[in-house]
Amino acid sequence: MSTAESPDFRPLYAQVKELLIARLVRGEWRPGEVLPSEFSLAATFGVSQGTVRKALDEMAAQNLVVRRQGRGTFVAQHSQPQALFHFFHIRDEGGTKELPTGLVLELRGDRADRAQTTCLKLPARARVWEMRRVRVLRGKPVILERITLPAALFAGLTLPIGSEFPDELYILYQEKFGVTVARAEEKLRAVAADSLDAKALGVAKGTPLLEIDRVALSLDGTPVEWRLSRCNTARHHYLSEIE
Amino acid sequence: MSTAESPDFRPLYAQVKELLIARLVRGEWRPGEVLPSEFSLAATFGVSQGTVRKALDEMAAQNLVVRRQGRGTFVAQHSQPQALFHFFHIRDEGGTKELPTGLVLELRGDRADRAQTTCLKLPARARVWEMRRVRVLRGKPVILERITLPAALFAGLTLPIGSEFPDELYILYQEKFGVTVARAEEKLRAVAADSLDAKALGVAKGTPLLEIDRVALSLDGTPVEWRLSRCNTARHHYLSEIE
DNA sequence: CAGTGGTCTAGACCACTTA
DNA sequence: AAGTGGTCTAGACCACTGA
């Protein structure tokens, strides 16, 4: 493999991985689609199968692709079971994974304020979508969210306001807008419920809530969502597993 | 490699890994010590170097060993820089990693109560150590902890009560008692400060605090510590990175 | 059955460390 | 210079999948 124009001392497999990710970012294969086989990729890159394998194994470890013996290597999809809980860490007391439903309260377009431009690395006064929703677990409102999206990435966004539906926004982002959330950084704090929180979650004003401040990044590292969640942790908790 | 006594269809490298971990658990190599080279291990197990490599690579990914080119493969140590923040996720607003100091308030032996036997999977009325301490960041008390340890694993534990020192208990567990914490599960909730919390952390009673309920497990999966922390998140947060 | 990823081997060369 | 882990290759065989 020759990248003649610049001396490049990174390992071959790392270069292969980078090229494959660049092709993913470009949307060359859609989520759920199968990639070419290891041998075929090895041939096109002019490296051995083992080198391609190492690149793909690392991508599988980062949840960018899913490998299935006998079938092939597929572009990861947020609708896949293992992906569904990857970005959702709220569990009930037994640790059971329950899928929340969502209720959108409000969705409107606006100019970004300072906090929003900072978190999403947008130019001043960029257009954003601002959404508020409640997430419901076992029939009770547990999480109140305020979600900010760069309008440039989500042109023509609409959502069924006021109706409850099994939600996973990241599936929507991926399927309708071609935006794949690859990783996220969450900052957790304890805060007191303000009167809006209290009303939406059915708790007293001042009740301690778990605040989750999340910025989600796409495959190429662009911030694509800023989400501020407030969770009633009376009957639920946030699960963090440290390996 | 023949494990003649029982049909074993697991991959060779997985068996090698299991054998190596068993030897770590048995304390065959102490933390910080160097393991035999890949070639030497391959010879003793009767497999190829590549197979040993795959086992060691997985162990390195789990932070059980540290590999250093040109030097060798070493048993992971809690005192190593990358390990120091692996189990400590509290950051200040800038995201800076500051090392806390610790102030032990109390240390006493007792019989385990129901909560303690449940969390640590101990028999009823087993002996435990119960410790309370405050952790200090930038000169301010930020975290109040109540730590329970099985006395059986920590015979003769003593700690400098009332004096502040750069703390990392996991280094102590490893060096003085041969107990290596390999992973942990944390449940996070928002709670209101009780009067003890308030006094220790210098906040008003009722202030929202981040509660971290952690059970730490050793290499072989035995629960070795139950830690209930309450953090003042006014100037700090808990960082969770989702890959 | 052919094609896929998963495992295992053997050998070559490289980069880094220590003596 | 010798020894270590890191990369890369080529080829063999296996287990699983779907036509």
mmCIF file of all heavy atoms in Angstrom, chain B residues 10-32:
data_model
loop_
_atom_site.group_PDB
_atom_site.id
_atom_site.type_symbol
_atom_site.label_atom_id
_atom_site.label_comp_id
_atom_site.label_asym_id
_atom_site.label_seq_id
_atom_site.Cartn_x
_atom_site.Cartn_y
_atom_site.Cartn_z
ATOM 1 N N ARG B 10 -13.642 -24.440 23.485
ATOM 2 C CA ARG B 10 -13.307 -23.020 23.445
ATOM 3 C C ARG B 10 -11.999 -22.837 22.689
ATOM 4 O O ARG B 10 -11.150 -23.722 22.676
ATOM 5 C CB ARG B 10 -13.202 -22.485 24.871
ATOM 6 C CG ARG B 10 -14.514 -22.656 25.633
ATOM 7 C CD ARG B 10 -14.356 -22.304 27.093
ATOM 8 N NE ARG B 10 -13.811 -20.971 27.241
ATOM 9 C CZ ARG B 10 -12.799 -20.679 28.038
ATOM 10 N NH1 ARG B 10 -12.225 -21.634 28.747
ATOM 11 N NH2 ARG B 10 -12.364 -19.455 28.130
ATOM 12 N N PRO B 11 -11.845 -21.670 22.073
ATOM 13 C CA PRO B 11 -10.609 -21.434 21.318
ATOM 14 C C PRO B 11 -9.379 -21.561 22.202
ATOM 15 O O PRO B 11 -9.444 -21.305 23.407
ATOM 16 C CB PRO B 11 -10.767 -19.998 20.824
ATOM 17 C CG PRO B 11 -12.217 -19.714 20.883
ATOM 18 C CD PRO B 11 -12.785 -20.575 21.961
ATOM 19 N N LEU B 12 -8.296 -21.944 21.592
ATOM 20 C CA LEU B 12 -7.028 -22.092 22.306
ATOM 21 C C LEU B 12 -6.657 -20.824 23.067
ATOM 22 O O LEU B 12 -6.289 -20.868 24.244
ATOM 23 C CB LEU B 12 -5.914 -22.398 21.315
ATOM 24 C CG LEU B 12 -5.549 -23.854 21.095
ATOM 25 C CD1 LEU B 12 -4.347 -23.941 20.185
ATOM 26 C CD2 LEU B 12 -5.245 -24.496 22.437
ATOM 27 N N TYR B 13 -6.742 -19.679 22.382
ATOM 28 C CA TYR B 13 -6.285 -18.437 23.019
ATOM 29 C C TYR B 13 -7.122 -18.127 24.257
ATOM 30 O O TYR B 13 -6.614 -17.594 25.237
ATOM 31 C CB TYR B 13 -6.323 -17.275 22.028
ATOM 32 C CG TYR B 13 -7.703 -16.764 21.698
ATOM 33 C CD1 TYR B 13 -8.334 -15.837 22.524
ATOM 34 C CD2 TYR B 13 -8.395 -17.230 20.586
ATOM 35 C CE1 TYR B 13 -9.605 -15.373 22.232
ATOM 36 C CE2 TYR B 13 -9.656 -16.773 20.292
ATOM 37 C CZ TYR B 13 -10.264 -15.848 21.118
ATOM 38 O OH TYR B 13 -11.517 -15.401 20.835
ATOM 39 N N ALA B 14 -8.409 -18.516 24.239
ATOM 40 C CA ALA B 14 -9.263 -18.275 25.403
ATOM 41 C C ALA B 14 -8.823 -19.158 26.568
ATOM 42 O O ALA B 14 -8.837 -18.739 27.722
ATOM 43 C CB ALA B 14 -10.719 -18.533 25.052
ATOM 44 N N GLN B 15 -8.409 -20.378 26.241
ATOM 45 C CA GLN B 15 -7.932 -21.275 27.299
ATOM 46 C C GLN B 15 -6.615 -20.762 27.865
ATOM 47 O O GLN B 15 -6.396 -20.785 29.077
ATOM 48 C CB GLN B 15 -7.774 -22.689 26.738
ATOM 49 C CG GLN B 15 -9.077 -23.277 26.216
ATOM 50 C CD GLN B 15 -8.875 -24.630 25.555
ATOM 51 O OE1 GLN B 15 -8.189 -25.496 26.090
ATOM 52 N NE2 GLN B 15 -9.458 -24.813 24.385
ATOM 53 N N VAL B 16 -5.739 -20.313 26.985
ATOM 54 C CA VAL B 16 -4.463 -19.751 27.433
ATOM 55 C C VAL B 16 -4.722 -18.571 28.359
ATOM 56 O O VAL B 16 -4.154 -18.453 29.441
ATOM 57 C CB VAL B 16 -3.610 -19.310 26.225
ATOM 58 C CG1 VAL B 16 -2.427 -18.475 26.678
ATOM 59 C CG2 VAL B 16 -3.133 -20.529 25.449
ATOM 60 N N LYS B 17 -5.648 -17.683 27.934
ATOM 61 C CA LYS B 17 -5.973 -16.517 28.734
ATOM 62 C C LYS B 17 -6.487 -16.924 30.110
ATOM 63 O O LYS B 17 -6.059 -16.383 31.132
ATOM 64 C CB LYS B 17 -7.040 -15.701 28.005
ATOM 65 C CG LYS B 17 -7.460 -14.430 28.702
ATOM 66 C CD LYS B 17 -8.493 -13.695 27.865
ATOM 67 C CE LYS B 17 -9.217 -12.641 28.681
ATOM 68 N NZ LYS B 17 -10.353 -12.055 27.918
ATOM 69 N N GLU B 18 -7.359 -17.921 30.125
ATOM 70 C CA GLU B 18 -7.918 -18.372 31.397
ATOM 71 C C GLU B 18 -6.817 -18.913 32.319
ATOM 72 O O GLU B 18 -6.786 -18.617 33.509
ATOM 73 C CB GLU B 18 -8.953 -19.461 31.121
ATOM 74 C CG GLU B 18 -9.751 -19.877 32.322
ATOM 75 C CD GLU B 18 -10.842 -20.854 31.914
ATOM 76 O OE1 GLU B 18 -11.914 -20.396 31.456
ATOM 77 O OE2 GLU B 18 -10.607 -22.073 32.025
ATOM 78 N N LEU B 19 -5.912 -19.679 31.742
ATOM 79 C CA LEU B 19 -4.815 -20.224 32.542
ATOM 80 C C LEU B 19 -3.938 -19.094 33.084
ATOM 81 O O LEU B 19 -3.521 -19.125 34.252
ATOM 82 C CB LEU B 19 -3.971 -21.183 31.698
ATOM 83 C CG LEU B 19 -4.646 -22.521 31.370
ATOM 84 C CD1 LEU B 19 -3.811 -23.316 30.373
ATOM 85 C CD2 LEU B 19 -4.863 -23.325 32.646
ATOM 86 N N LEU B 20 -3.678 -18.107 32.248
ATOM 87 C CA LEU B 20 -2.838 -16.990 32.692
ATOM 88 C C LEU B 20 -3.535 -16.225 33.815
ATOM 89 O O LEU B 20 -2.911 -15.871 34.819
ATOM 90 C CB LEU B 20 -2.539 -16.054 31.517
ATOM 91 C CG LEU B 20 -1.528 -16.601 30.502
ATOM 92 C CD1 LEU B 20 -1.436 -15.695 29.289
ATOM 93 C CD2 LEU B 20 -0.151 -16.753 31.161
ATOM 94 N N ILE B 21 -4.847 -15.988 33.671
ATOM 95 C CA ILE B 21 -5.571 -15.259 34.713
ATOM 96 C C ILE B 21 -5.580 -16.066 36.008
ATOM 97 O O ILE B 21 -5.399 -15.519 37.098
ATOM 98 C CB ILE B 21 -7.004 -14.935 34.245
ATOM 99 C CG1 ILE B 21 -6.951 -13.891 33.121
ATOM 100 C CG2 ILE B 21 -7.850 -14.407 35.396
ATOM 101 C CD1 ILE B 21 -8.291 -13.474 32.584
ATOM 102 N N ALA B 22 -5.752 -17.391 35.878
ATOM 103 C CA ALA B 22 -5.727 -18.233 37.076
ATOM 104 C C ALA B 22 -4.394 -18.078 37.799
ATOM 105 O O ALA B 22 -4.341 -18.027 39.025
ATOM 106 C CB ALA B 22 -5.960 -19.694 36.689
ATOM 107 N N ARG B 23 -3.321 -17.986 37.026
ATOM 108 C CA ARG B 23 -2.007 -17.826 37.654
ATOM 109 C C ARG B 23 -1.860 -16.444 38.273
ATOM 110 O O ARG B 23 -1.205 -16.290 39.313
ATOM 111 C CB ARG B 23 -0.892 -18.089 36.624
ATOM 112 C CG ARG B 23 -0.853 -19.572 36.233
ATOM 113 C CD ARG B 23 0.052 -19.823 35.044
ATOM 114 N NE ARG B 23 1.471 -19.798 35.388
ATOM 115 C CZ ARG B 23 2.446 -20.236 34.583
ATOM 116 N NH1 ARG B 23 2.127 -20.747 33.390
ATOM 117 N NH2 ARG B 23 3.698 -20.165 34.944
ATOM 118 N N LEU B 24 -2.478 -15.439 37.672
ATOM 119 C CA LEU B 24 -2.472 -14.099 38.277
ATOM 120 C C LEU B 24 -3.222 -14.128 39.605
ATOM 121 O O LEU B 24 -2.764 -13.591 40.612
ATOM 122 C CB LEU B 24 -3.154 -13.086 37.353
ATOM 123 C CG LEU B 24 -2.385 -12.554 36.160
ATOM 124 C CD1 LEU B 24 -3.158 -11.427 35.496
ATOM 125 C CD2 LEU B 24 -1.018 -12.059 36.605
ATOM 126 N N VAL B 25 -4.401 -14.765 39.592
ATOM 127 C CA VAL B 25 -5.230 -14.836 40.799
ATOM 128 C C VAL B 25 -4.455 -15.526 41.913
ATOM 129 O O VAL B 25 -4.486 -15.101 43.067
ATOM 130 C CB VAL B 25 -6.551 -15.595 40.510
ATOM 131 C CG1 VAL B 25 -7.278 -15.916 41.798
ATOM 132 C CG2 VAL B 25 -7.432 -14.786 39.576
ATOM 133 N N ARG B 26 -3.752 -16.589 41.536
ATOM 134 C CA ARG B 26 -2.979 -17.328 42.531
ATOM 135 C C ARG B 26 -1.789 -16.504 43.033
ATOM 136 O O ARG B 26 -1.101 -16.915 43.966
ATOM 137 C CB ARG B 26 -2.487 -18.649 41.906
ATOM 138 C CG ARG B 26 -2.691 -19.861 42.815
ATOM 139 C CD ARG B 26 -2.207 -21.123 42.129
ATOM 140 N NE ARG B 26 -2.889 -21.374 40.871
ATOM 141 C CZ ARG B 26 -2.282 -21.698 39.732
ATOM 142 N NH1 ARG B 26 -0.971 -21.803 39.673
ATOM 143 N NH2 ARG B 26 -2.996 -21.920 38.642
ATOM 144 N N GLY B 27 -1.546 -15.396 42.392
ATOM 145 C CA GLY B 27 -0.456 -14.532 42.839
ATOM 146 C C GLY B 27 0.904 -15.001 42.371
ATOM 147 O O GLY B 27 1.931 -14.681 42.966
ATOM 148 N N GLU B 28 0.918 -15.761 41.287
ATOM 149 C CA GLU B 28 2.174 -16.327 40.786
ATOM 150 C C GLU B 28 3.157 -15.220 40.388
ATOM 151 O O GLU B 28 4.358 -15.357 40.559
ATOM 152 C CB GLU B 28 1.866 -17.224 39.585
ATOM 153 C CG GLU B 28 2.919 -18.249 39.317
ATOM 154 C CD GLU B 28 2.289 -19.531 38.806
ATOM 155 O OE1 GLU B 28 1.166 -19.881 39.237
ATOM 156 O OE2 GLU B 28 2.924 -20.177 37.978
ATOM 157 N N TRP B 29 2.589 -14.134 39.827
ATOM 158 C CA TRP B 29 3.401 -12.944 39.571
ATOM 159 C C TRP B 29 2.776 -11.795 40.329
ATOM 160 O O TRP B 29 1.565 -11.612 40.306
ATOM 161 C CB TRP B 29 3.429 -12.617 38.078
ATOM 162 C CG TRP B 29 3.878 -13.755 37.220
ATOM 163 C CD1 TRP B 29 5.142 -14.255 37.144
ATOM 164 C CD2 TRP B 29 3.074 -14.528 36.335
ATOM 165 N NE1 TRP B 29 5.176 -15.305 36.257
ATOM 166 C CE2 TRP B 29 3.918 -15.494 35.739
ATOM 167 C CE3 TRP B 29 1.733 -14.515 35.972
ATOM 168 C CZ2 TRP B 29 3.459 -16.426 34.808
ATOM 169 C CZ3 TRP B 29 1.269 -15.434 35.052
ATOM 170 C CH2 TRP B 29 2.128 -16.381 34.480
ATOM 171 N N ARG B 30 3.584 -10.986 40.974
ATOM 172 C CA ARG B 30 3.063 -9.866 41.747
ATOM 173 C C ARG B 30 2.843 -8.665 40.842
ATOM 174 O O ARG B 30 3.485 -8.553 39.800
ATOM 175 C CB ARG B 30 4.028 -9.512 42.896
ATOM 176 C CG ARG B 30 4.381 -10.714 43.742
ATOM 177 C CD ARG B 30 4.473 -10.461 45.228
ATOM 178 N NE ARG B 30 3.871 -9.244 45.704
ATOM 179 C CZ ARG B 30 2.734 -9.209 46.425
ATOM 180 N NH1 ARG B 30 2.093 -10.319 46.703
ATOM 181 N NH2 ARG B 30 2.282 -8.069 46.857
ATOM 182 N N PRO B 31 1.945 -7.774 41.246
ATOM 183 C CA PRO B 31 1.708 -6.571 40.451
ATOM 184 C C PRO B 31 3.013 -5.831 40.161
ATOM 185 O O PRO B 31 3.831 -5.653 41.066
ATOM 186 C CB PRO B 31 0.799 -5.735 41.343
ATOM 187 C CG PRO B 31 0.071 -6.734 42.170
ATOM 188 C CD PRO B 31 1.043 -7.866 42.395
ATOM 189 N N GLY B 32 3.216 -5.454 38.921
ATOM 190 C CA GLY B 32 4.429 -4.750 38.534
ATOM 191 C C GLY B 32 5.498 -5.676 37.996
ATOM 192 O O GLY B 32 6.422 -5.231 37.320
#
